PDB file of all heavy atoms in Angstrom:
ATOM      1  N   ILE A 397      84.401 123.644 112.251  1.00  0.00           N
ATOM      2  CA  ILE A 397      85.293 123.529 111.097  1.00  0.00           C
ATOM      3  C   ILE A 397      85.223 122.102 110.563  1.00  0.00           C
ATOM      4  O   ILE A 397      85.583 121.160 111.259  1.00  0.00           O
ATOM      5  CB  ILE A 397      86.764 123.866 111.475  1.00  0.00           C
ATOM      6  CG1 ILE A 397      86.835 125.287 112.018  1.00  0.00           C
ATOM      7  CG2 ILE A 397      87.702 123.714 110.284  1.00  0.00           C
ATOM      8  CD1 ILE A 397      86.808 125.358 113.491  1.00  0.00           C
ATOM      9  N   PRO A 398      84.756 121.939 109.306  1.00  0.00           N
ATOM     10  CA  PRO A 398      84.710 120.602 108.736  1.00  0.00           C
ATOM     11  C   PRO A 398      86.106 120.142 108.328  1.00  0.00           C
ATOM     12  O   PRO A 398      86.902 120.950 107.842  1.00  0.00           O
ATOM     13  CB  PRO A 398      83.813 120.764 107.504  1.00  0.00           C
ATOM     14  CG  PRO A 398      83.745 122.223 107.230  1.00  0.00           C
ATOM     15  CD  PRO A 398      84.278 122.975 108.393  1.00  0.00           C
ATOM     16  N   ALA A 399      86.391 118.878 108.558  1.00  0.00           N
ATOM     17  CA  ALA A 399      87.702 118.330 108.174  1.00  0.00           C
ATOM     18  C   ALA A 399      87.513 116.932 107.626  1.00  0.00           C
ATOM     19  O   ALA A 399      86.518 116.263 107.917  1.00  0.00           O
ATOM     20  CB  ALA A 399      88.620 118.300 109.389  1.00  0.00           C
ATOM     21  N   LYS A 400      88.481 116.503 106.819  1.00  0.00           N
ATOM     22  CA  LYS A 400      88.416 115.158 106.284  1.00  0.00           C
ATOM     23  C   LYS A 400      89.672 114.431 106.756  1.00  0.00           C
ATOM     24  O   LYS A 400      90.789 114.864 106.490  1.00  0.00           O
ATOM     25  CB  LYS A 400      88.355 115.208 104.752  1.00  0.00           C
ATOM     26  CG  LYS A 400      87.783 113.965 104.152  1.00  0.00           C
ATOM     27  CD  LYS A 400      87.165 114.234 102.784  1.00  0.00           C
ATOM     28  CE  LYS A 400      86.585 112.947 102.217  1.00  0.00           C
ATOM     29  NZ  LYS A 400      87.608 112.086 101.586  1.00  0.00           N
ATOM     30  N   ILE A 401      89.470 113.367 107.512  1.00  0.00           N
ATOM     31  CA  ILE A 401      90.594 112.598 108.033  1.00  0.00           C
ATOM     32  C   ILE A 401      90.520 111.227 107.374  1.00  0.00           C
ATOM     33  O   ILE A 401      89.652 110.434 107.719  1.00  0.00           O
ATOM     34  CB  ILE A 401      90.519 112.446 109.569  1.00  0.00           C
ATOM     35  CG1 ILE A 401      90.263 113.795 110.262  1.00  0.00           C
ATOM     36  CG2 ILE A 401      91.765 111.769 110.123  1.00  0.00           C
ATOM     37  CD1 ILE A 401      91.345 114.822 110.136  1.00  0.00           C
ATOM     38  N   GLY A 402      91.403 110.963 106.440  1.00  0.00           N
ATOM     39  CA  GLY A 402      91.313 109.733 105.660  1.00  0.00           C
ATOM     40  C   GLY A 402      89.992 109.744 104.913  1.00  0.00           C
ATOM     41  O   GLY A 402      89.700 110.694 104.190  1.00  0.00           O
ATOM     42  N   SER A 403      89.163 108.730 105.156  1.00  0.00           N
ATOM     43  CA  SER A 403      87.867 108.710 104.471  1.00  0.00           C
ATOM     44  C   SER A 403      86.746 109.216 105.375  1.00  0.00           C
ATOM     45  O   SER A 403      85.583 109.225 104.978  1.00  0.00           O
ATOM     46  CB  SER A 403      87.570 107.282 104.007  1.00  0.00           C
ATOM     47  OG  SER A 403      87.592 106.440 105.130  1.00  0.00           O
ATOM     48  N   SER A 404      87.082 109.632 106.596  1.00  0.00           N
ATOM     49  CA  SER A 404      86.048 110.109 107.521  1.00  0.00           C
ATOM     50  C   SER A 404      85.888 111.619 107.456  1.00  0.00           C
ATOM     51  O   SER A 404      86.870 112.354 107.409  1.00  0.00           O
ATOM     52  CB  SER A 404      86.393 109.747 108.959  1.00  0.00           C
ATOM     53  OG  SER A 404      86.835 108.439 109.044  1.00  0.00           O
ATOM     54  N   LYS A 405      84.633 112.041 107.502  1.00  0.00           N
ATOM     55  CA  LYS A 405      84.357 113.479 107.586  1.00  0.00           C
ATOM     56  C   LYS A 405      84.051 113.794 109.039  1.00  0.00           C
ATOM     57  O   LYS A 405      83.269 113.097 109.675  1.00  0.00           O
ATOM     58  CB  LYS A 405      83.149 113.823 106.730  1.00  0.00           C
ATOM     59  CG  LYS A 405      83.487 113.988 105.283  1.00  0.00           C
ATOM     60  CD  LYS A 405      82.308 114.653 104.598  1.00  0.00           C
ATOM     61  CE  LYS A 405      82.295 114.368 103.125  1.00  0.00           C
ATOM     62  NZ  LYS A 405      80.926 114.471 102.601  1.00  0.00           N
ATOM     63  N   VAL A 406      84.660 114.830 109.548  1.00  0.00           N
ATOM     64  CA  VAL A 406      84.423 115.179 110.947  1.00  0.00           C
ATOM     65  C   VAL A 406      84.270 116.692 111.094  1.00  0.00           C
ATOM     66  O   VAL A 406      84.889 117.462 110.359  1.00  0.00           O
ATOM     67  CB  VAL A 406      85.557 114.592 111.847  1.00  0.00           C
ATOM     68  CG1 VAL A 406      86.912 114.996 111.367  1.00  0.00           C
ATOM     69  CG2 VAL A 406      85.374 114.966 113.297  1.00  0.00           C
ATOM     70  N   LEU A 407      83.399 117.076 112.023  1.00  0.00           N
ATOM     71  CA  LEU A 407      83.181 118.489 112.302  1.00  0.00           C
ATOM     72  C   LEU A 407      83.907 118.803 113.608  1.00  0.00           C
ATOM     73  O   LEU A 407      83.586 118.246 114.656  1.00  0.00           O
ATOM     74  CB  LEU A 407      81.670 118.724 112.449  1.00  0.00           C
ATOM     75  CG  LEU A 407      81.158 120.138 112.294  1.00  0.00           C
ATOM     76  CD1 LEU A 407      81.545 120.727 110.948  1.00  0.00           C
ATOM     77  CD2 LEU A 407      79.639 120.160 112.454  1.00  0.00           C
ATOM     78  N   LEU A 408      84.910 119.692 113.517  1.00  0.00           N
ATOM     79  CA  LEU A 408      85.662 120.048 114.723  1.00  0.00           C
ATOM     80  C   LEU A 408      85.061 121.309 115.313  1.00  0.00           C
ATOM     81  O   LEU A 408      84.752 122.245 114.581  1.00  0.00           O
ATOM     82  CB  LEU A 408      87.112 120.325 114.358  1.00  0.00           C
ATOM     83  CG  LEU A 408      87.828 119.178 113.683  1.00  0.00           C
ATOM     84  CD1 LEU A 408      89.071 119.675 112.984  1.00  0.00           C
ATOM     85  CD2 LEU A 408      88.183 118.111 114.714  1.00  0.00           C
ATOM     86  N   ILE A 409      84.900 121.331 116.613  1.00  0.00           N
ATOM     87  CA  ILE A 409      84.346 122.525 117.243  1.00  0.00           C
ATOM     88  C   ILE A 409      85.402 123.209 118.105  1.00  0.00           C
ATOM     89  O   ILE A 409      85.863 122.661 119.105  1.00  0.00           O
ATOM     90  CB  ILE A 409      83.118 122.195 118.125  1.00  0.00           C
ATOM     91  CG1 ILE A 409      82.107 121.331 117.366  1.00  0.00           C
ATOM     92  CG2 ILE A 409      82.481 123.480 118.647  1.00  0.00           C
ATOM     93  CD1 ILE A 409      81.432 121.989 116.193  1.00  0.00           C
ATOM     94  N   ASP A 410      85.780 124.419 117.671  1.00  0.00           N
ATOM     95  CA  ASP A 410      86.712 125.231 118.450  1.00  0.00           C
ATOM     96  C   ASP A 410      85.874 125.975 119.481  1.00  0.00           C
ATOM     97  O   ASP A 410      84.885 126.625 119.138  1.00  0.00           O
ATOM     98  CB  ASP A 410      87.419 126.230 117.521  1.00  0.00           C
ATOM     99  CG  ASP A 410      88.588 126.923 118.201  1.00  0.00           C
ATOM    100  OD1 ASP A 410      88.951 126.508 119.324  1.00  0.00           O
ATOM    101  OD2 ASP A 410      89.150 127.874 117.623  1.00  0.00           O
ATOM    102  N   THR A 411      86.229 125.860 120.740  1.00  0.00           N
ATOM    103  CA  THR A 411      85.446 126.516 121.795  1.00  0.00           C
ATOM    104  C   THR A 411      86.259 127.642 122.423  1.00  0.00           C
ATOM    105  O   THR A 411      87.486 127.634 122.370  1.00  0.00           O
ATOM    106  CB  THR A 411      85.070 125.509 122.904  1.00  0.00           C
ATOM    107  OG1 THR A 411      86.276 125.073 123.548  1.00  0.00           O
ATOM    108  CG2 THR A 411      84.316 124.303 122.353  1.00  0.00           C
ATOM    109  N   PRO A 412      85.572 128.630 123.020  1.00  0.00           N
ATOM    110  CA  PRO A 412      86.305 129.656 123.762  1.00  0.00           C
ATOM    111  C   PRO A 412      86.897 129.001 125.007  1.00  0.00           C
ATOM    112  O   PRO A 412      86.244 128.152 125.608  1.00  0.00           O
ATOM    113  CB  PRO A 412      85.237 130.674 124.137  1.00  0.00           C
ATOM    114  CG  PRO A 412      83.935 130.159 123.642  1.00  0.00           C
ATOM    115  CD  PRO A 412      84.114 128.779 123.133  1.00  0.00           C
ATOM    116  N   GLY A 413      88.113 129.345 125.363  1.00  0.00           N
ATOM    117  CA  GLY A 413      88.762 128.708 126.507  1.00  0.00           C
ATOM    118  C   GLY A 413      88.169 129.179 127.823  1.00  0.00           C
ATOM    119  O   GLY A 413      87.771 130.334 127.968  1.00  0.00           O
ATOM    120  N   PHE A 414      88.124 128.284 128.783  1.00  0.00           N
ATOM    121  CA  PHE A 414      87.742 128.700 130.136  1.00  0.00           C
ATOM    122  C   PHE A 414      88.870 129.554 130.703  1.00  0.00           C
ATOM    123  O   PHE A 414      89.967 129.566 130.168  1.00  0.00           O
ATOM    124  CB  PHE A 414      87.508 127.473 131.016  1.00  0.00           C
ATOM    125  CG  PHE A 414      86.243 126.769 130.660  1.00  0.00           C
ATOM    126  CD1 PHE A 414      86.259 125.614 129.900  1.00  0.00           C
ATOM    127  CD2 PHE A 414      85.019 127.285 131.059  1.00  0.00           C
ATOM    128  CE1 PHE A 414      85.084 124.978 129.556  1.00  0.00           C
ATOM    129  CE2 PHE A 414      83.839 126.659 130.714  1.00  0.00           C
ATOM    130  CZ  PHE A 414      83.871 125.501 129.964  1.00  0.00           C
ATOM    131  N   ASP A 415      88.561 130.284 131.772  1.00  0.00           N
ATOM    132  CA  ASP A 415      89.520 131.206 132.373  1.00  0.00           C
ATOM    133  C   ASP A 415      89.879 132.313 131.377  1.00  0.00           C
ATOM    134  O   ASP A 415      91.003 132.796 131.343  1.00  0.00           O
ATOM    135  CB  ASP A 415      90.783 130.453 132.821  1.00  0.00           C
ATOM    136  CG  ASP A 415      91.531 131.216 133.902  1.00  0.00           C
ATOM    137  OD1 ASP A 415      90.873 131.945 134.654  1.00  0.00           O
ATOM    138  OD2 ASP A 415      92.760 131.090 133.971  1.00  0.00           O
ATOM    139  N   ASP A 416      88.906 132.694 130.568  1.00  0.00           N
ATOM    140  CA  ASP A 416      89.055 133.734 129.555  1.00  0.00           C
ATOM    141  C   ASP A 416      89.378 135.070 130.225  1.00  0.00           C
ATOM    142  O   ASP A 416      88.976 135.324 131.354  1.00  0.00           O
ATOM    143  CB  ASP A 416      87.707 133.815 128.803  1.00  0.00           C
ATOM    144  CG  ASP A 416      87.751 134.663 127.561  1.00  0.00           C
ATOM    145  OD1 ASP A 416      87.814 135.903 127.682  1.00  0.00           O
ATOM    146  OD2 ASP A 416      87.714 134.083 126.472  1.00  0.00           O
ATOM    147  N   THR A 417      90.100 135.949 129.493  1.00  0.00           N
ATOM    148  CA  THR A 417      90.432 137.248 130.076  1.00  0.00           C
ATOM    149  C   THR A 417      89.233 138.197 130.103  1.00  0.00           C
ATOM    150  O   THR A 417      89.206 139.148 130.881  1.00  0.00           O
ATOM    151  CB  THR A 417      91.584 137.918 129.289  1.00  0.00           C
ATOM    152  OG1 THR A 417      91.250 137.937 127.902  1.00  0.00           O
ATOM    153  CG2 THR A 417      92.891 137.178 129.484  1.00  0.00           C
ATOM    154  N   GLU A 418      88.231 137.940 129.222  1.00  0.00           N
ATOM    155  CA  GLU A 418      87.107 138.881 129.101  1.00  0.00           C
ATOM    156  C   GLU A 418      85.797 138.354 129.678  1.00  0.00           C
ATOM    157  O   GLU A 418      84.958 139.126 130.114  1.00  0.00           O
ATOM    158  CB  GLU A 418      86.830 139.196 127.622  1.00  0.00           C
ATOM    159  CG  GLU A 418      88.042 139.564 126.804  1.00  0.00           C
ATOM    160  CD  GLU A 418      88.379 141.023 126.957  1.00  0.00           C
ATOM    161  OE1 GLU A 418      87.437 141.816 126.976  1.00  0.00           O
ATOM    162  OE2 GLU A 418      89.571 141.336 127.069  1.00  0.00           O
ATOM    163  N   ARG A 419      85.586 137.029 129.566  1.00  0.00           N
ATOM    164  CA  ARG A 419      84.269 136.495 129.890  1.00  0.00           C
ATOM    165  C   ARG A 419      84.323 135.477 131.014  1.00  0.00           C
ATOM    166  O   ARG A 419      85.334 134.813 131.209  1.00  0.00           O
ATOM    167  CB  ARG A 419      83.660 135.861 128.637  1.00  0.00           C
ATOM    168  CG  ARG A 419      83.528 136.871 127.526  1.00  0.00           C
ATOM    169  CD  ARG A 419      83.508 136.206 126.186  1.00  0.00           C
ATOM    170  NE  ARG A 419      82.210 135.633 125.913  1.00  0.00           N
ATOM    171  CZ  ARG A 419      82.033 134.489 125.272  1.00  0.00           C
ATOM    172  NH1 ARG A 419      83.061 133.790 124.885  1.00  0.00           N
ATOM    173  NH2 ARG A 419      80.831 134.049 125.035  1.00  0.00           N
ATOM    174  N   SER A 420      83.186 135.354 131.719  1.00  0.00           N
ATOM    175  CA  SER A 420      83.146 134.430 132.846  1.00  0.00           C
ATOM    176  C   SER A 420      82.993 132.998 132.340  1.00  0.00           C
ATOM    177  O   SER A 420      82.545 132.772 131.214  1.00  0.00           O
ATOM    178  CB  SER A 420      81.969 134.778 133.751  1.00  0.00           C
ATOM    179  OG  SER A 420      80.765 134.428 133.105  1.00  0.00           O
ATOM    180  N   ASP A 421      83.351 132.048 133.187  1.00  0.00           N
ATOM    181  CA  ASP A 421      83.209 130.643 132.821  1.00  0.00           C
ATOM    182  C   ASP A 421      81.755 130.291 132.539  1.00  0.00           C
ATOM    183  O   ASP A 421      81.467 129.466 131.674  1.00  0.00           O
ATOM    184  CB  ASP A 421      83.755 129.741 133.934  1.00  0.00           C
ATOM    185  CG  ASP A 421      85.283 129.733 133.958  1.00  0.00           C
ATOM    186  OD1 ASP A 421      85.892 130.275 133.005  1.00  0.00           O
ATOM    187  OD2 ASP A 421      85.857 129.192 134.910  1.00  0.00           O
ATOM    188  N   SER A 422      80.815 130.947 133.263  1.00  0.00           N
ATOM    189  CA  SER A 422      79.407 130.600 133.044  1.00  0.00           C
ATOM    190  C   SER A 422      78.935 131.075 131.667  1.00  0.00           C
ATOM    191  O   SER A 422      78.136 130.418 131.014  1.00  0.00           O
ATOM    192  CB  SER A 422      78.516 131.109 134.167  1.00  0.00           C
ATOM    193  OG  SER A 422      78.498 132.493 134.172  1.00  0.00           O
ATOM    194  N   GLU A 423      79.458 132.219 131.201  1.00  0.00           N
ATOM    195  CA  GLU A 423      79.112 132.679 129.847  1.00  0.00           C
ATOM    196  C   GLU A 423      79.628 131.681 128.813  1.00  0.00           C
ATOM    197  O   GLU A 423      78.960 131.380 127.821  1.00  0.00           O
ATOM    198  CB  GLU A 423      79.754 134.041 129.553  1.00  0.00           C
ATOM    199  CG  GLU A 423      79.055 135.219 130.183  1.00  0.00           C
ATOM    200  CD  GLU A 423      79.829 136.509 129.924  1.00  0.00           C
ATOM    201  OE1 GLU A 423      79.651 137.111 128.868  1.00  0.00           O
ATOM    202  OE2 GLU A 423      80.651 136.884 130.784  1.00  0.00           O
ATOM    203  N   ILE A 424      80.807 131.176 129.052  1.00  0.00           N
ATOM    204  CA  ILE A 424      81.406 130.224 128.111  1.00  0.00           C
ATOM    205  C   ILE A 424      80.647 128.899 128.127  1.00  0.00           C
ATOM    206  O   ILE A 424      80.392 128.308 127.084  1.00  0.00           O
ATOM    207  CB  ILE A 424      82.912 130.068 128.425  1.00  0.00           C
ATOM    208  CG1 ILE A 424      83.603 131.366 128.025  1.00  0.00           C
ATOM    209  CG2 ILE A 424      83.525 128.886 127.676  1.00  0.00           C
ATOM    210  CD1 ILE A 424      84.933 131.572 128.605  1.00  0.00           C
ATOM    211  N   LEU A 425      80.246 128.491 129.320  1.00  0.00           N
ATOM    212  CA  LEU A 425      79.431 127.271 129.449  1.00  0.00           C
ATOM    213  C   LEU A 425      78.132 127.399 128.676  1.00  0.00           C
ATOM    214  O   LEU A 425      77.714 126.473 127.987  1.00  0.00           O
ATOM    215  CB  LEU A 425      79.087 127.051 130.918  1.00  0.00           C
ATOM    216  CG  LEU A 425      79.885 125.990 131.650  1.00  0.00           C
ATOM    217  CD1 LEU A 425      79.376 125.891 133.074  1.00  0.00           C
ATOM    218  CD2 LEU A 425      79.776 124.651 130.951  1.00  0.00           C
ATOM    219  N   THR A 426      77.491 128.577 128.808  1.00  0.00           N
ATOM    220  CA  THR A 426      76.239 128.820 128.104  1.00  0.00           C
ATOM    221  C   THR A 426      76.453 128.696 126.607  1.00  0.00           C
ATOM    222  O   THR A 426      75.651 128.111 125.884  1.00  0.00           O
ATOM    223  CB  THR A 426      75.703 130.237 128.445  1.00  0.00           C
ATOM    224  OG1 THR A 426      75.669 130.342 129.861  1.00  0.00           O
ATOM    225  CG2 THR A 426      74.323 130.474 127.880  1.00  0.00           C
ATOM    226  N   GLU A 427      77.556 129.255 126.154  1.00  0.00           N
ATOM    227  CA  GLU A 427      77.898 129.206 124.733  1.00  0.00           C
ATOM    228  C   GLU A 427      78.056 127.753 124.257  1.00  0.00           C
ATOM    229  O   GLU A 427      77.518 127.362 123.215  1.00  0.00           O
ATOM    230  CB  GLU A 427      79.199 130.017 124.540  1.00  0.00           C
ATOM    231  CG  GLU A 427      79.907 129.845 123.218  1.00  0.00           C
ATOM    232  CD  GLU A 427      79.180 130.485 122.042  1.00  0.00           C
ATOM    233  OE1 GLU A 427      78.332 131.350 122.268  1.00  0.00           O
ATOM    234  OE2 GLU A 427      79.475 130.080 120.901  1.00  0.00           O
TER     235      GLU A 427
END
Side-chain angles (χ1 to χ4, degrees):
I397 301 97
K400 202 155 180 279
I401 311 295
S403 58
S404 315
K405 278 194 203 155
V406 53
L407 199 57
L408 302 162
I409 310 294
D410 191 9
T411 65
F414 287 102
D415 203 29
D416 190 287
T417 52
E418 311 276 319
R419 301 156 78 217
S420 71
D421 285 350
S422 66
E423 282 175 84
I424 289 162
L425 257 182
T426 308
E427 167 71 19

